[in-house]
Amino acid sequence: MKYLINSVLHWYQQSLQYFRHLDGIAALALRIYLVPIFWMAGQNKLMHFNDTVAWFGNPDWGLDLPFPTLMAGLATSAELGGAVLLALGLFTRLVSIPLIITMIVAILTVHLPNGWQAIADANAPFANAQVLASSEKLEKAREILQNYGNYDWLTSSGSLVILNNGIEFAATYLIMLLALIVLGGGRYFSSDYWLSRYMNKFRK
């Protein structure tokens, strides 16, 4: 029996040695997922930069942040530059830091007052008063569209929902970036890996 257990453990350890060559796939998947998100966010800020600056600085309908032009520039640069570097897997751990800061600022200044849910769903966990109140409004909107619009056509691309704009998505991206600080760009699939191998040749 002891011999059998030892054999199984030995086989298990040997199998893990083969799977370690695939450990870069997790980091690659995280990077590929995040690239279009940050690229589109940065592009949107850049294309409407004056509006972005106004939104960052306005105390009435904006974020009321200090130095709005600088803050908007930093956020735009972090998202566009971050998307490019994540796509390449270059300086992955380093570039994750400003993106994490961007996500924390977004959570605290934009999303936190709306609670957890990104899409309002009164039946889901963490439904706050704002989400619960949205159910009646959503039902009324459906009723209006069913009576006065082509409801089947309007919903043919997806269900009618109310955007709650909570922290759910930003928190998810934050967690993914924290994972990339630990994982790095990933074995084989990142510029970081090949740059590290190249640099190690000169250290020997």
Side-chain angles (χ1 to χ4, degrees), residues 38 41-43 45-46 49 52 71-82:
F38 288 120
Q43 279 280 79
K45 288 182 178 66
L46 182 62
F49 191 72
T52 301
M71 297 291 281
L74 289 174
T76 303
S77 300
E79 289 172 343
L80 291 176

Side-chain angles (χ1 to χ4, degrees), residues 48-60:
H48 308 94
F49 191 72
N50 290 335
D51 294 335
T52 301
V53 172
W55 179 56
F56 271 42
N58 194 283
D60 298 321

Side-chain angles (χ1 to χ4, degrees), residues 23-35 38 82-83 85-97 99-100 172-187 189-190 192:
D23 61 11
I25 292 178
L28 175 65
L30 291 173
R31 285 166 36 220
I32 289 174
Y33 189 98
L34 290 170
V35 165
F38 288 120
L85 291 175
L86 286 176
L88 296 172
L90 182 63
F91 308 130
T92 304
R93 290 185 172 94
L94 185 62
V95 77
S96 294
I97 295 172
L99 291 174
I100 285 171
T172 301
Y173 307 149
L174 174 61
I175 292 167
M176 295 170 77
L177 289 165
L178 288 171
L180 283 176
I181 285 185
V182 176
L183 296 172
R187 190 194 304 258
F189 301 107
S190 70
D192 286 337

Side-chain angles (χ1 to χ4, degrees), residues 61-189:
W61 46 263
L63 303 181
D64 193 21
L65 294 175
F67 312 109
T69 303
L70 175 62
M71 297 291 281
L74 289 174
T76 303
S77 300
E79 289 172 343
L80 291 176
V84 172
L85 291 175
L86 286 176
L88 296 172
L90 182 63
F91 308 130
T92 304
R93 290 185 172 94
L94 185 62
V95 77
S96 294
I97 295 172
L99 291 174
I100 285 171
I101 294 171
T102 302
M103 287 298 95
I104 291 173
V105 172
I107 287 171
L108 295 178
T109 60
V110 180
H111 304 290
L112 189 60
N114 301 318
W116 172 260
Q117 292 184 26
I119 305 298
D121 184 355
N123 298 315
F126 313 117
N128 57 14
Q130 180 172 294
V131 170
L132 294 174
S134 71
S135 294
E136 183 179 352
K137 298 170 185 174
L138 183 59
E139 190 56 40
K140 188 63 178 179
R142 287 193 183 115
E143 181 184 327
I144 292 170
L145 291 174
Q146 286 168 348
N147 291 333
Y148 301 104
N150 188 342
Y151 187 77
D152 290 337
W153 176 77
L154 288 169
T155 58
S156 61
S157 298
S159 301
L160 185 67
V161 299
I162 290 180
L163 177 67
N164 186 57
N165 207 25
I167 71 171
E168 183 178 359
F169 292 158
T172 301
Y173 307 149
L174 174 61
I175 292 167
M176 295 170 77
L177 289 165
L178 288 171
L180 283 176
I181 285 185
V182 176
L183 296 172
R187 190 194 304 258
Y188 302 134
F189 301 107

